[in-house]
Amino acid sequence: MNAVAAARSDNVTDSSTQSRTGLIDRLGLGWFFRLLSSSIGQKFVMGVTGLLLCGFLVAHLAGNMLLFVGEKSFNEYAHALHAQWELLAIAEAGLLLLFLAHIYLAFATTIGNLKARTNTYTLRQTKVPGRIIGANSWMFISGSVVLGFVILHLIDLRFALRSGIDYLVESDPGAPFHNTVAVLSNPLSRVIYFVGVIVLGVHLSHGFSSAFQSVGFNHPKYTPMIKILGKIFAVVIAVGFASIVVFVPGMWK
Amino acid sequence: MNHASSTNLNLTLKIWRQAGPQQVGGLKTYEVEGISTDMSFLEMLDVLNQQLIAKGEEPVAFDHDCREGICGTCGVVINGQAHGPDRGTTTCQLHMRRFQNGDTIVIEPWLAKAFPIVRDLVVDRSAFDRIIQSGGYVSVNTGNAPEANTTLVPHHVQQDAMRAAACIGCGACVASCKNASAMLFVSAKVSHLASIPQGQSERSRRVLNMVATMDAEHFGNCTNTGECEAACPAKIELTNIAKLNREYMTALMYSKE
Ligand code: HEM
Ligand code: SF4
Ligand code: FES
């Protein structure tokens, strides 16, 4: 039975008549498989992972704002964080999972979309009043730029692997602050970080409110506020991180 | 005999011509003269076709039936907009007074992988039929008209159901979406039937099956750009897609289906 015919048959989702031969079925994980393979399930998971990543951004920005306070505060914060190494390891694994899921689904949905629209109109004009083709048409591209930035950022500071940057060894108590300023003073990192966080803001200017719609939350009482909140959130994240890139290296010469 | 307020337009039309599903198509230019502003868009195409027939050429194939905005059969992309420039309007209800003398109008068929071109402006929308066949119905026997107050449906719920039921299945949502997503169409039917008592017994199965068919028919994913809502002649709202997402996730996580 081909996929269309299968979907057409009334009993396709009737658990009592489904054959239970595969491993997925024997473990009762059919729902999970459908969550990750159906269009709506995929969008739901994208929305949830996107929002959880937004939560991470808030925590990360708050911690990094200590770079403006001074060397001592930032190092103390970093050491306190790393003292919780068990929790940190779990958090990092969680973050990695969120990123991998979000990125996998970004590819899966975008490829599906390109396959669904194989040819384009000679003339194309929006009917949404005041819409300029903006952030919502550039989600895959803005996400990819963010991915590039995140990879460089991990190489720079999580793994301290960039050549030409004079890192202090991790055991040195001054390492967190010193290494951060050293990386931010590197011209290549500086430019890419700046572009990366601005494009992240663009991604969020659509992503934040879009995620609520994807998880099914659209309500006349709250949706107008969520839309505005999404724009404000995008600006706060972009300007917040960009201010670190722009001002911190000069402040602590 | 001219109506007092009507004027006549001379227009340049660029129309997608394609002899068959496998043939290569392209835009062809035609001139039409003396088009009354009282005419509908389809009547303007009728005039063109009459001209073509008189010259011994093949007329432009386009879909139409009721010509009063209720059947959903008509529908072309006019100057890059599904059903043309007006909101909440089908192609058959679009009037030539929306255009100026000397205008060039580009007319293309709905484009989507799931809507293959049959000929010229006619596309095959049977994918929509298959989605409806997979769950867009109620199969309980409702019997004779019951006593009016035995099944209470609050007015606002009834209004939501009615607004969702207004979908005429024209496919403009798919045509206008950059991802050729059918979610507005599916959400209209799912919301409609999930709102009323008759729809409850098949509620979970309906949404799971309709979404499975939608995916199998190669429609794209919603990215919340809102083009479908703006193009929809029946003014189906995006809130229905959020409701579809809720219905689907609830069925997936909590139902036994
Ligand atoms: C810190 C990193 C990131 C955050 C906070 C973030 C956040 C979000 C949010 C909130 C959404 C909305 C989800 C929805 O519409 O349901 C989203 C969508 C999306 N993201 Fe990300 N994202 C990040 C990184 C990435 C990366 C690395 C990619 C990789 C290519 C990516 C690609 C996409 C795509 C394609 C969408 C779907 C857009 C749409 O459906 O309109 N994102 N993101
Ligand atoms: S939702 Fe609107 S645009 Fe889509 S098929 Fe129904 S009436 Fe047409
Ligand atoms: S012909 Fe019936 S809606 Fe246009």
Side-chain angles (χ1 to χ4, degrees):
Chain A
M1 197 157 43
N2 69 28
V4 177
R8 243 189 282 172
S9 121
D10 256 9
N11 289 330
V12 69
T13 56
D14 190 330
S15 51
S16 59
T17 57
Q18 231 165 33
S19 62
R20 299 187 163 266
T21 45
L23 184 63
I24 289 176
D25 280 335
R26 261 185 289 151
L27 293 174
L29 284 176
W31 66 272
F32 188 68
F33 179 74
R34 261 195 284 175
L35 178 68
L36 291 181
S37 61
S38 67
S39 55
I40 292 181
Q42 289 187 333
K43 286 295 312 203
F44 180 87
V45 177
M46 279 214 89
V48 171
T49 54
L51 282 181
L52 290 174
L53 288 171
C54 287
F56 159 72
L57 289 177
V58 173
H60 194 44
L61 180 61
N64 286 355
M65 277 293 149
L66 290 171
L67 285 164
F68 285 107
V69 179
E71 181 164 358
K72 196 161 158 292
S73 322
F74 186 74
N75 280 333
E76 275 168 11
Y77 155 70
H79 292 309
L81 194 64
H82 286 264
Q84 310 278 341
W85 65 271
E86 304 96 330
L87 290 179
L88 199 63
I90 296 170
E92 282 188 339
L95 269 177
L96 182 65
L97 201 67
L98 288 181
F99 264 107
L100 291 182
H102 194 80
I103 293 163
Y104 163 70
L105 292 174
F107 276 90
T109 54
T110 305
I111 290 169
N113 294 344
L114 293 175
K115 279 191 186 153
R117 167 142 325 295
T118 37
N119 36 18
T120 49
Y121 298 102
T122 315
L123 194 62
R124 179 113 185 71
Q125 224 185 325
T126 177
K127 277 185 102 165
V128 179
R131 177 176 177 214
I132 30 173
I133 306 297
N136 53 20
S137 294
W138 296 94
M139 290 301 276
F140 186 77
I141 295 174
S142 60
S144 303
V145 171
V146 172
L147 179 61
F149 150 68
V150 169
I151 290 172
L152 178 71
H153 187 47
L154 289 176
I155 293 172
D156 277 356
L157 281 163
R158 173 66 179 77
F159 301 109
L161 283 177
R162 273 282 290 288
S163 54
I165 287 177
D166 87 282
Y167 291 111
L168 287 181
V169 286
E170 214 182 306
S171 54
D172 191 307
F177 185 84
H178 173 90
N179 290 351
T180 307
V181 175
V183 164
L184 288 180
S185 306
N186 175 283
L188 177 74
S189 287
R190 218 167 161 193
V191 170
I192 293 184
Y193 283 24
F194 185 79
V195 173
V197 295
I198 297 298
V199 173
L200 175 61
V202 172
H203 195 72
L204 295 177
S205 70
H206 174 67
F208 186 87
S209 59
S210 172
F212 285 88
Q213 170 85 0
S214 299
V215 302
F217 192 87
N218 184 325
H219 193 286
K221 278 184 189 152
Y222 311 111
T223 299
M225 187 187 70
I226 289 170
K227 283 194 176 150
I228 295 170
L229 218 66
K231 304 280 184 224
I232 296 174
F233 182 75
V235 171
V236 168
I237 292 293
V239 172
F241 280 114
S243 69
I244 294 172
V245 180
V246 172
F247 297 115
V248 164
M251 257 172 91
W252 308 110
K253 269 273 152 59
Chain B
M1 196 185 74
N2 253 340
H3 191 276
S5 66
S6 79
T7 46
N8 290 336
L9 308 174
N10 298 336
L11 302 165
T12 305
L13 307 174
K14 293 190 171 190
I15 302 181
W16 188 265
R17 299 304 307 263
Q18 182 170 332
Q22 308 307 330
Q23 262 77 27
V24 196
L27 285 178
K28 245 190 118 179
T29 306
Y30 302 95
E31 307 287 337
V32 283
E33 285 170 10
I35 297 294
S36 157
T37 48
D38 288 341
M39 276 184 194
S40 75
F41 198 83
L42 297 186
E43 284 168 331
M44 182 275 291
L45 288 179
D46 293 337
V47 171
L48 170 71
N49 276 347
Q50 213 50 52
Q51 248 178 50
L52 292 179
I53 290 165
K55 279 197 282 183
E57 288 178 39
E58 200 54 47
V60 178
F62 62 91
D63 251 340
H64 60 103
D65 189 13
C66 71
R67 295 203 177 198
E68 51 188 22
I70 54 173
C71 74
T73 314
C74 65
V76 290
V77 172
I78 300 164
N79 287 337
Q81 297 179 313
H83 288 303
D86 286 339
R87 276 211 148 203
T89 306
T90 54
T91 301
C92 61
Q93 292 290 293
L94 174 67
H95 282 79
M96 294 313 293
R97 49 182 166 270
R98 279 300 258 120
F99 298 91
Q100 306 284 322
N101 192 27
D103 274 0
T104 297
I105 307 175
V106 179
I107 310 169
E108 296 174 81
W110 287 170
L111 290 183
K113 177 83 187 191
F115 288 166
I117 293 178
V118 176
R119 186 189 179 95
D120 297 339
L121 302 174
V122 178
V123 300
D124 174 3
R125 281 169 295 185
S126 56
F128 268 14
D129 300 338
R130 290 189 288 275
I131 292 176
I132 293 294
Q133 280 158 12
S134 69
Y137 50 78
V138 167
S139 47
V140 291
N141 190 348
T142 52
N144 293 331
E147 162 62 31
N149 290 329
T150 44
T151 314
L152 297 178
V153 181
H155 183 69
H156 68 276
V157 176
Q158 177 210 325
Q159 288 296 302
D160 283 348
M162 276 305 276
R163 272 206 300 277
C167 168
I168 55 176
C170 65
C173 43
V174 174
S176 60
C177 174
K178 76 177 170 67
N179 311 318
S181 165
M183 287 199 192
L184 195 67
F185 168 74
V186 175
S187 75
K189 192 47 65 209
V190 166
S191 301
H192 163 211
L193 296 177
S195 302
I196 51 176
Q198 295 88 333
Q200 299 311 308
S201 57
E202 290 153 306
R203 187 168 175 177
S204 301
R205 174 178 299 189
R206 171 181 309 114
V207 66
L208 293 173
N209 283 348
M210 287 182 78
V211 169
T213 311
M214 171 180 87
D215 291 351
E217 294 285 351
H218 298 297
F219 289 101
N221 307 286
C222 178
T223 51
N224 306 327
T225 62
E227 286 294 342
C228 55
E229 180 188 51
C232 175
K235 298 189 178 161
I236 303 296
E237 292 166 352
L238 278 185
T239 47
N240 288 302
I241 298 184
K243 171 136 178 153
L244 168 69
N245 297 343
R246 283 203 298 283
E247 289 289 324
Y248 185 79
M249 290 309 296
T250 311
L252 191 63
M253 308 302 284
Y254 303 115
S255 79
K256 289 188 182 167
E257 306 273 347

